[in-house]
Amino acid sequence: MPQRKIIPAVLGVIAALAMVSCTVPPTTTEPSSPSAHESKLAPSSPAPLADLTPQMLKSAKIPSMCGFPAGKLVDGALPAKHPEYPNASAPTLADSKLTVAADLTGDGVKELVTAFYCDKGGVAWPAHIQLFQSTAQGIAPLGKPFQVGDVNGGARGIPSSLKVDGKKLVIADRELLTTEPAAAPSGQIKATLAWNGKQLVAESIEDLAATDRGILDLSLVYGTWCPGDDVTAEHSPGCLEIKYPQVTHANGDVAVLNFWVNNGFTTLNYSDAPLAMFYAPGTKIADPANPNVPTGHLNEVRMYNNQTQGFYLRESK
């Protein structure tokens, strides 16, 4: 009968084990820390770009200006020699008053804009305006320099003011008028610049000496203009290149222009005669005194001189 004694003992052991399993509290699993490998794979937020300061400009890299090579400024000036003019002053930060901070590109981060001065050794070049951005590597130039000579007729020196109006840059400067020496301009203009995604470009010019002339929309007049196909050969003097305030004729002659905006119509004039009136796309030319005015090309910008009956269309950009 020994088997009867073994069974109760086995049953007792099973019962004891069951009691133990009921009294042991459940363990809480703590979240494990990511491994080194997982940490490397986890995306990290990019560090915010540093705010630019005028002090950073003194050691910034700049693109080529005034015929000087691109390089890095040292205390606000480029330590380089001009390849043609040995006594020329290299690009230098012009004036602390001509440095402004603004978000001209619309990316939510402010850039710095400043003016540069350089000369041929006593004879100044027109000023250059350069935009700088903040990058992970520090301050860096954005786009190529804007040459103020493109809007002031080649007047030399630095602007009198540089300000921000919304997302536009407004420059007040002298303007070179007809027959004036480049170093002694007497005109006064205000030019509005904007960022076009690649560089600063001029949008408009206002003549501060004659405020009743209106504001010149440069996108309307800039470009290469050639005789329209509605005009007979005798009225075709060749193409014109207009980059206000200058017009270059087919034979290479360069003349200085001024402008007038009346009732929404823009006219460019020489000192003694009109060049042409401009008609925006969709505008019908209604001039009963000149029945030969072409009425075609209504979807294009047109240029017409009612004295010579010269009709021009702008070449595609």
Side-chain angles (χ1 to χ4, degrees):
M1 304 296 294
Q3 291 181 351
R4 295 179 180 177
K5 295 179 181 179
I6 294 174
I7 292 174
V10 171
L11 292 175
V13 171
I14 294 174
L17 292 173
M19 291 178 64
V20 170
S21 63
C22 292
T23 58
V24 174
T27 58
T28 302
T29 304
E30 296 291 337
S32 59
S33 300
S35 65
H37 177 69
E38 291 173 334
S39 298
K40 291 179 180 179
L41 296 179
S44 58
S45 299
L49 297 177
D51 291 334
L52 298 180
T53 65
Q55 186 65 26
M56 294 179 182
L57 289 173
K58 293 186 176 182
S59 57
K61 292 181 179 179
I62 63 170
S64 174
M65 297 181 194
C66 301
F68 284 85
K72 185 175 182 179
L73 301 179
V74 175
D75 198 23
L78 184 69
K81 291 289 185 182
H82 195 280
E84 186 177 355
Y85 305 102
N87 296 322
S89 297
T92 305
L93 294 173
D95 191 323
S96 60
K97 295 179 181 179
L98 298 177
T99 296
V100 295
D103 179 18
L104 299 181
T105 63
D107 62 356
V109 180
K110 287 186 177 181
E111 299 85 32
L112 280 183
V113 193
T114 194
F116 281 88
Y117 170 88
C118 36
D119 65 40
K120 299 180 180 180
V123 180
W125 270 288
H128 290 69
I129 306 297
Q130 180 62 48
L131 190 63
F132 291 87
Q133 65 179 335
S134 180
T135 72
Q137 289 74 39
I139 188 171
L142 181 60
K144 63 182 182 181
F146 177 83
Q147 299 185 44
V148 183
D150 288 346
V151 293
N152 69 9
R156 301 165 188 254
I158 62 175
S160 56
S161 73
L162 193 157
K163 299 180 180 179
V164 175
D165 183 5
K167 294 188 180 300
K168 306 293 177 69
L169 192 66
V170 180
I171 301 172
D173 198 8
R174 298 176 298 171
E175 182 183 24
L176 187 66
L177 303 181
T178 308
T179 72
E180 290 183 335
S186 63
Q188 294 287 331
I189 62 165
K190 182 169 70 175
T192 299
L193 312 183
W195 177 255
N196 71 353
K198 295 182 179 179
Q199 63 189 58
L200 287 171
V201 295
E203 284 194 342
S204 63
I205 293 178
E206 182 177 356
D207 188 340
L208 299 179
T211 55
D212 58 338
R213 290 186 179 177
I215 297 177
L216 175 64
D217 179 357
L218 293 175
S219 67
L220 187 70
V221 303
Y222 268 27
T224 301
W225 296 84
C226 293
D229 53 15
D230 317 62
V231 183
T232 60
E234 61 181 313
H235 297 137
S236 300
C239 297
L240 307 173
E241 179 72 29
I242 299 177
K243 198 167 187 179
Y244 185 86
Q246 294 181 332
V247 57
T248 304
H249 296 265
N251 60 6
D253 289 344
V254 179
V256 178
L257 301 169
N258 54 50
F259 72 92
W260 198 278
V261 180
N262 186 20
N263 293 324
F265 289 93
T266 297
T267 301
L268 292 187
N269 309 282
Y270 298 106
S271 59
D272 56 352
L275 170 66
M277 179 178 286
F278 292 80
Y279 296 85
T283 305
K284 293 183 179 180
I285 300 177
D287 191 349
N290 294 281
N292 295 324
V293 176
T295 56
H297 304 281
L298 293 183
N299 295 323
E300 301 175 64
V301 181
R302 291 146 292 151
M303 183 174 78
Y304 179 72
N305 185 319
N306 61 3
Q307 290 187 352
T308 65
Q309 296 184 6
F311 175 67
Y312 294 80
L313 293 174
R314 184 162 54 185
E315 289 188 344
S316 300
K317 295 182 179 180

